[in-house]
Amino acid sequence: MIIRSRRRSDVASSEITPEDVYVNRRSFIRRAAAGAAVAGFLPTALSACETSEAGAAASEGPKTGAAVGNGVPAPRDQEVPARFRGMESELGEELNSWEEITTYNNFYEFGTAKSDPSRNSGRFRPRPWTVAIEGHVNKPGNYALEDFLAPHTMEDRVYRMRCVEAWSMVVPWYGFPLKDLVARVEPTSAAKFLEMTTVVRPEEMPGQRTNVLEWPYIEGLRMDEAMNPLALLATGVYGTDLPNQNGAPLRLITPWKYGFKGVKSIVKIRFVEEMPRNTWWMTNPREYGFYANVNPEVDHPRWSQGRERRIGELRRRETLMFNGYEEEVGQMYAGMDLKRWI
Ligand code: MTE
C-alpha cells in the first residue's frame, strides 16, 4: 500500500519541490552519502547476529512482488528502478533489495533471529496508531498518526545503515526530518534530550512475552542530534509503507549511528532534561552506550568495527567514521572523547 493521504508528501520530492531546491537537496544527500558505509548490532548473550544468515538472504537475491509482514506488497521490479535509479547513482552504492531489507531484520519484539520479524509480525496492527508528545514542550499532545504526519513534507532519503554487528545495507527510506517535528512542538529550554518509546503489545508481539529485553524498547537523542538534518522519522521504504518488521508505522533513522538507535514502532516522544536510559545501554553497559556513533576506531568487545559486510556482497568494506556522514555530524561531537562516550 503506497502512502495515500492527500498530503504534498504523497508524491516524490522531485515532483513537489522546485527543481533548484530539489537538486540542492539531492546534492546534500549525495554529500551526506559520500564515503562508505554500514550499520549493525547485536546483544550480549543473545545471538541474533549470524552473518551466515546474511549470506543466505543475499544469495537468494530480490524476490520482488512478495508480500511480507503486514502484507505490504513489494514494489514490482519495473517500479523500483523508475523511482530510485537517480538516487542510487547519486549515492554511488547499490540499493539493497526489498527482499534483503524486509527479511534480514533486528526487531526483538518479534524474536531474536534475523528472519523472525518478517515471519512473526503478521498479527501486528500498525493502524490505528497514536503518537504521544510529552515533557518539556509548549505543544504536548496525543496525535492520531494521520494528524501527526499531516503538516510534514515527506522525502525519499537513501541512507547507509550500519549495524553494530558489522553488517550494513543501503536503504531508500521515506519520511520527514525529525527537526521539523522538534520545531513544531516547541521544546522549552529545559529539554536537553528526546526519549522515544516503542509500543508494548505482547499479544501481537511474541518477543514481548519473553524477557529477552526489558520492554518497552527505548532510545534517545541529544537535542542537537535530533535537530541534525540527517535525522529522519520514517514511515516508508522503497516508496511503500513500512512493513511491520521494519518498524511500522513510524521509526527513527540516524544513519551516522549504529542501527540499534533506530527505534521502531514509536508511540511516545518525550522531551527530557536527563540523558535517556536506552535499552541496549541498560542491557549491557559494557558493550553499548547512549551515543552509538559509528566509529571504526572503537571496537565492540565482540566485533571489530573497522570493517563491515554489506548484505549482498562477499568482500568486507572499510567502515567510515560516522558511517561516512562526518561532514554533516562531526561538529556535534567536537571535543568529546569518543572512546569514552560510546
Ligand atoms: N526497535 C525496536 N523496537 N526493537 C528492536 O529490537 N532493533 C534495532 C533497531 N530498532 C530494534 C529496534 C536494531 S539492533 C537494528 S540494527 C535496527 O532496528 C534494524 O532495523 P531493520 O530491521 O529495519 O534493518
Side-chain angles (χ1 to χ4, degrees), residues 127-167:
R127 284 179 180 70
W129 194 263
T130 305
V131 183
I133 302 293
E134 298 180 357
H136 297 291
V137 289
N138 289 329
K139 296 184 175 168
N142 285 303
Y143 296 85
L145 183 66
E146 296 68 29
D147 301 331
F148 182 78
L149 300 177
H152 297 289
T153 301
M154 309 297 272
E155 303 175 19
D156 292 312
R157 292 263 182 117
V158 176
Y159 281 155
R160 293 182 217 96
M161 168 345 178
R162 167 67 154 84
C163 179
V164 76
E165 296 162 339
W167 54 265

Side-chain angles (χ1 to χ4, degrees), residues 39-42 101 104-109 111 117 161-165 167 169 171 173 198-199 205 213 215 217-219 245-247 251-253 258-265 280:
F41 139 108
L42 206 117
I101 292 167
Y104 190 79
N105 300 103
N106 279 329
F107 199 169
Y108 277 37
E109 283 83 343
M161 168 345 178
R162 167 67 154 84
C163 179
V164 76
E165 296 162 339
W167 54 265
M169 296 205 200
V171 185
W173 302 109
T198 293
V199 73
M205 301 173 124
L213 290 178
W215 313 111
Y217 192 100
I218 290 177
E219 260 307 339
Q245 60 269 35
N246 291 93
R251 69 172 293 178
L252 176 67
I253 306 291
Y258 292 118
F260 71 86
K261 295 298 285 184
V263 50
K264 295 176 169 181
S265 305
W280 281 104

